[in-house]
Amino acid sequence: PPPPPPLSLSIYIELKTPWRKFDWGQKEVLKKRLEEFSVSHPDGQIIKILVAGQIGAGKSSFINSVNNVFRGRITSEAIVDQSRGKSFTKSLKSHRVRGADCDLPFVLTDIMGLEPKVLEGSQPEDIISAIFGHVKDEYKFKEEEPLSHKSEDYISDPLLSDQAFCLVYIVDANTIQFASDRLVDKLRIIRIRISDKRIPQVIIMTKVDETCPLVKDDLKKVYNSKRIKEKMHLCSEMIGVPMNCIFPVKNYHDEIELDNDVDVLILKAFEQIVNFADDRLRVAASNSECRQ
Ligand SMILES: Nc1nc2c(ncn2[C@@H]2O[C@H](COP(=O)(O)OP(=O)(O)OP(=O)(O)O)[C@@H](O)[C@H]2O)c(=O)[nH]1
Ligand SMILES: [Mg+2]
């Protein structure tokens, strides 16, 4: 393959004023709002959100981070692989978001990593099928072929609760500029198919701590980092998602205690995901797009 294009990103410049307004003191307000969230549709008990992204991008860590915030402690339900390489999460696995006292009405579904090679990792078709609710939980994806509608694992008549109403695409901030054309093409296929059904898409840009030393030292500088801003612009251009649907986060990965700043960034991103998903679910429910 041709060598990656030279990096034209600026080196760790700190902007005097943050380019996105962000309130670092809103943790409790955000948390409470989400804990009390009721799904717009009376029959739709839960909102399902599909979490996809490249291998090792931090999908499982993001799911755990969301759970950590609500549980008020470090959790590890979605298994995180430390070895890097081939996708560790090989099957579709749903994780209910749990609060300290009760379950929240959100399910995050972890899907195996997308790989640039045509026949490796999850195929766009599998991700699209998972969003539309055709894939049974715990289904083990096959590298050679996407799930066929003839398979017994294929749900041909999905319930409203089987469907995902937002695609969360996890991007590793360290490597976004090296994404291959093949990968971008795969993403574009997914994007076209889900936009036809007006399924919203949010991008979570992880590992901002590893990407910029200013941010590593102080997460509150995430919107003062020129490098992070440039990386987000790159994401926006490559994947075709507007900036206001892109959220930089640091996942919990090696810490043993929670941190306010990590929590607020995660919560703000999660709130947006939930709102978009709920808006879409309401439309689906009123149109009776599928069995309920
Ligand atoms: N520093 C840092 N490390 C992270 C962050 N998010 C994830 N990691 C690390 O990145 C590695 C991969 O994370 P996972 O959550 O397993 O990634 P994944 O997307 O689920 O990977 P697959 O299931 O294999 O496709 C792990 O070693 C994590 O600890 C982050 O925000 N910052
Ligand atoms: Mg994983």
Side-chain angles (χ1 to χ4, degrees):
L7 248 182
S8 59
L9 293 162
S10 53
I11 299 296
Y12 321 132
I13 293 172
E14 182 174 345
L15 304 168
K16 269 210 185 93
T17 41
W19 59 271
R20 182 179 277 178
K21 243 175 94 180
F22 196 79
D23 174 4
W24 295 93
Q26 60 182 326
K27 174 177 164 179
E28 292 310 323
V29 175
L30 282 172
K31 192 166 166 234
K32 190 153 183 285
R33 215 155 51 210
L34 284 159
E35 280 167 346
E36 291 171 355
F37 192 91
S38 63
V39 179
S40 286
H41 184 254
D43 297 337
Q45 303 287 320
I46 50 158
I47 299 183
K48 201 165 172 177
I49 293 147
L50 190 78
V51 181
Q54 237 189 311
I55 289 166
K59 299 177 287 297
S60 305
S61 303
F62 177 69
I63 293 174
N64 287 333
S65 298
V66 169
N67 261 308
N68 293 349
V69 181
F70 292 108
R71 293 293 288 277
R73 64 173 178 84
I74 303 291
T75 64
S76 60
E77 202 190 298
I79 296 166
V80 171
D81 182 30
Q82 298 299 342
S83 63
R84 314 224 166 175
K86 287 231 164 178
S87 190
F88 187 71
T89 309
K90 295 270 185 211
S91 50
L92 196 74
K93 181 93 183 80
S94 291
H95 300 273
R96 182 73 183 253
V97 178
R98 301 186 196 287
D101 308 316
C102 60
D103 290 351
L104 273 61
F106 315 121
V107 167
L108 291 169
T109 303
D110 196 354
I111 192 169
M112 72 184 281
L114 197 64
E115 283 194 67
K117 285 193 201 150
V118 180
L119 288 174
E120 274 179 33
S122 61
Q123 300 302 312
E125 274 314 312
D126 279 336
I127 295 183
I128 292 160
S129 298
I131 293 171
F132 296 156
H134 296 304
V135 185
K136 283 196 178 139
D137 206 37
E138 310 271 334
Y139 171 72
K140 280 204 167 45
F141 290 100
K142 298 187 180 69
E143 289 201 349
E144 326 77 65
E145 49 172 357
L147 176 63
S148 151
H149 66 276
K150 291 179 193 137
S151 158
E152 56 183 37
D153 290 308
Y154 188 90
I155 304 172
S156 47
D157 198 7
L159 297 167
L160 209 53
S161 55
D162 292 323
Q163 288 201 53
F165 287 98
C166 184
L167 171 65
V168 173
Y169 196 79
I170 309 278
V171 169
D172 176 343
N174 291 319
T175 56
I176 176 72
Q177 69 273 24
F178 302 118
S180 66
D181 292 346
R182 271 217 186 105
L183 184 75
V184 174
D185 285 347
K186 279 189 174 188
L187 288 176
R188 207 164 285 143
I189 294 170
I190 297 169
R191 191 162 165 68
I192 291 168
R193 288 286 299 281
I194 68 170
S195 336
D196 279 352
K197 294 220 175 186
R198 287 172 294 126
I199 304 283
Q201 188 178 357
V202 166
I203 293 185
I204 298 292
M205 200 174 86
T206 61
K207 309 193 191 181
V208 291
D209 54 319
E210 285 184 341
T211 304
C212 178
L214 296 169
V215 180
K216 192 180 176 77
D217 288 346
D218 181 4
L219 191 56
K220 284 199 176 77
K221 296 215 170 124
V222 70
Y223 291 119
N224 293 78
S225 161
K226 193 162 178 221
R227 194 176 178 83
I228 301 288
K229 186 182 180 190
E230 286 173 348
K231 295 247 182 184
M232 288 171 66
H233 270 297
L234 202 60
C235 269
S236 172
E237 275 167 28
M238 280 167 61
I239 308 176
V241 170
M243 282 292 271
N244 63 3
C245 296
I246 305 180
F247 294 87
V249 304
K250 185 184 104 68
N251 285 326
Y252 283 107
H253 61 109
D254 61 3
E255 32 290 270
I256 54 167
E257 275 181 48
L258 298 193
D259 173 273
N260 174 76
D261 301 343
V262 173
D263 286 354
V264 190
L265 274 183
I266 297 275
L267 277 170
K268 189 69 204 171
F270 190 61
E271 184 189 47
Q272 201 73 311
I273 292 166
V274 164
N275 285 338
F276 283 156
D278 193 53
D279 288 345
R280 182 61 186 86
L281 173 65
R282 195 183 309 136
V283 173
S286 64
N287 293 351
S288 317
E289 284 175 18
C290 62
R291 285 190 303 132
Q292 288 168 20

